Amino acid sequence: MRELLSKSLVVVSVVVAGVFAVEPATASTATTLATAAERTGRYFGVGVQGYKLTDQTYVGILNREFGVVTPENEMKLDATEPQQNRFNFAPADRIVDHALQQGKRVRGHTLLWHAGQPSWLAGLRGTALRAAMLNHVTQVTAYYRGKVYAWDVVNEAFADGTTGARRDSNFQRTGDDWIEAAFHAARAADPTAKLCYNDYNIENRAHAKTQAVYRMVRDFKARGVPIDCVGLQSHFTANHPVPADFATTLRDFADLGVDVQLTELDIEGSGAAQAENYRRAVTACLAVSRCTGITVWGVRDSDSWRASATPLLFDHSGAEKPAYTAVLDALRCAR
Ligand code: G3I
């Protein structure tokens, strides 16, 4: 009797162990955006505002649905270096620490941007400005070394319109080579981080701005400038919808030898039409193997920088919208 009991216990323990073994999610068991994306080899992330980490509804959705976190504002120049050489990482650390404690990865946003500059930096010119901007890149990247998996090293350096020109900014006026100098400084400070160029309105391959970014990335790769990815912000509106050939744009960049990521996805609209646009954007990423992840730019519509456009996957109360279901279904059905 004892022998039969011990054998049955062995069988039970094997079965129980089997039940709790960590198996990769399947299409049917992937019940969150993060797990559904992970089964395709991608991440699904979100832009986070640190002061909302006391909001239980916000944190509940964040912890459950998303695998990568981007601080929406707390790593920008004015937040991290409010006075020259006086760094404040506390607001960003609050988000980074939460993400890492939850087993999530962090995208850093953004080291150099023409907007959101502290007054001391905006007042510099020439060699003093070039030294200060590269010191900023070095200090911030080094501080987060090993904690930030990908950096938006430079954000929005190209002008809108039909010229494909660089955006006129204080950084640009230090010389055309400011962007590559920033990438070299970031690589030196954290060789483990993926280094991205990030911009908006580069989703349509025919647009001059898209072509200008494409030429820069191609030139950087040819000259060994350390660039690993292109971030396409993917802010879509009624007047700037998801392009029919979005996947081709993504593939064009990827074929240069970089990853592509949708870094700030939000789509103006509501209901079935919004859901269909989200499905198209996600499907475009799924069609390109080096499209490594998607980040939506906020949790609930009320958290959005453009809340009135109701552009996100959860409504103001945190309820899932049709767009959420469309995204989850697209990820779960992906081959
Ligand atoms: O923190 C201050 C607060 O103390 C003050 O009371 C309040 C009112 O003045 O302003 C708060 O700062 C605001 C900050 O968001 C945090 O909420 C700034 O005014 C506001 O300009 C800032 O807007 C952010 C914007 O970038 C400019 O930095 C948005 O939240 C953020 O979603 C948006 O994100 C950008 C990306 O970084 C780059 N791509 C475009 C995207 C949309 O503009």
Side-chain angles (χ1 to χ4, degrees):
M1 182 59 177
R2 180 185 297 273
E3 188 181 339
L4 176 63
L5 185 59
S6 63
K7 278 182 181 173
S8 57
L9 281 177
V10 167
V11 169
V12 166
S13 57
V14 166
V15 168
V16 168
V19 163
F20 290 105
V22 179
E23 297 293 333
T26 62
S28 56
T29 61
T31 58
T32 67
L33 299 170
T35 54
E38 283 155 17
R39 63 174 285 278
T40 76
R42 293 172 180 80
Y43 68 78
F44 206 95
V46 65
V48 168
Q49 300 177 42
Y51 76 96
K52 296 192 175 178
L53 292 176
T54 55
D55 176 329
Q56 292 314 304
T57 302
Y58 184 90
V59 171
I61 299 170
L62 165 59
N63 290 348
R64 183 183 72 242
E65 294 291 339
F66 300 101
V68 171
V69 163
T70 304
E72 194 166 336
N73 296 297
E74 292 79 356
M75 286 183 168
K76 291 173 178 173
L77 287 130
D78 55 353
T80 52
E81 194 177 359
Q83 286 87 37
Q84 186 165 12
N85 263 322
R86 305 260 316 266
F87 293 89
N88 177 17
F89 295 116
D93 284 345
R94 184 180 182 190
I95 299 171
V96 171
D97 294 347
H98 179 90
L100 298 180
Q101 284 159 13
Q102 291 289 323
K104 305 179 189 301
R105 290 184 291 172
V106 177
R107 289 193 86 260
H109 173 80
T110 176
L111 293 170
L112 294 180
W113 188 25
H114 68 278
Q117 294 186 20
S119 54
W120 69 266
L121 184 68
L124 294 180
R125 295 289 178 273
T127 52
L129 173 56
R130 176 62 70 92
M133 59 202 264
L134 294 184
N135 181 61
H136 181 83
V137 170
T138 300
Q139 298 300 327
V140 177
T141 308
Y143 178 84
Y144 284 110
R145 179 171 179 150
K147 290 187 172 183
V148 166
Y149 122 85
W151 272 107
D152 291 334
V153 176
V154 169
N155 189 50
E156 303 178 9
F158 283 83
D160 290 309
T162 58
T163 65
R166 288 282 183 87
R167 176 188 299 273
D168 178 37
S169 71
N170 57 341
F171 294 154
Q172 177 61 32
R173 290 191 292 273
T174 68
D176 262 349
D177 64 340
W178 73 277
I179 299 177
E180 62 198 76
F183 276 84
H184 281 295
R187 179 71 97 220
D190 184 357
T192 69
K194 282 195 179 285
L195 305 182
C196 305
Y197 174 77
N198 194 55
D199 214 331
Y200 66 92
N201 288 358
I202 59 171
E203 298 84 13
N204 187 316
R205 64 199 297 253
H207 288 176
K209 187 177 183 181
T210 310
Q211 291 302 316
V213 173
Y214 179 89
R215 288 191 297 272
M216 177 186 76
V217 176
R218 183 179 58 192
D219 168 57
F220 279 11
K221 293 299 288 184
R223 291 191 293 118
V225 176
I227 185 169
D228 307 303
C229 99
V230 172
L232 297 91
Q233 292 182 13
S234 305
H235 294 297
F236 294 117
T237 68
N239 298 327
H240 176 61
V242 180
D245 61 356
F246 192 21
T248 307
T249 308
L250 297 173
R251 194 172 293 111
D252 284 352
F253 279 118
D255 287 349
L256 293 174
V258 293
D259 292 342
V260 289
Q261 300 174 346
L262 310 195
T263 52
E264 303 177 17
L265 179 62
D266 55 20
I267 304 179
E268 177 184 19
S270 61
Q274 181 183 53
E276 172 57 15
N277 273 318
Y278 263 103
R279 187 196 63 77
R280 289 173 57 206
V282 170
T283 302
C285 178
L286 291 169
V288 180
S289 58
R290 289 199 74 168
C291 184
T292 54
I294 298 170
T295 295
V296 286
W297 207 233
V299 177
R300 302 162 297 195
D301 285 336
S302 47
D303 302 314
S304 171
W305 64 292
R306 52 178 182 145
S308 59
T310 61
L312 296 172
L313 300 178
F314 297 86
D315 73 15
H316 65 285
S317 70
E320 297 163 2
K321 297 165 55 178
Y324 170 90
T325 306
V327 170
L328 186 60
D329 288 348
L331 293 170
R332 290 172 68 175
C333 295
R335 292 270 170 262

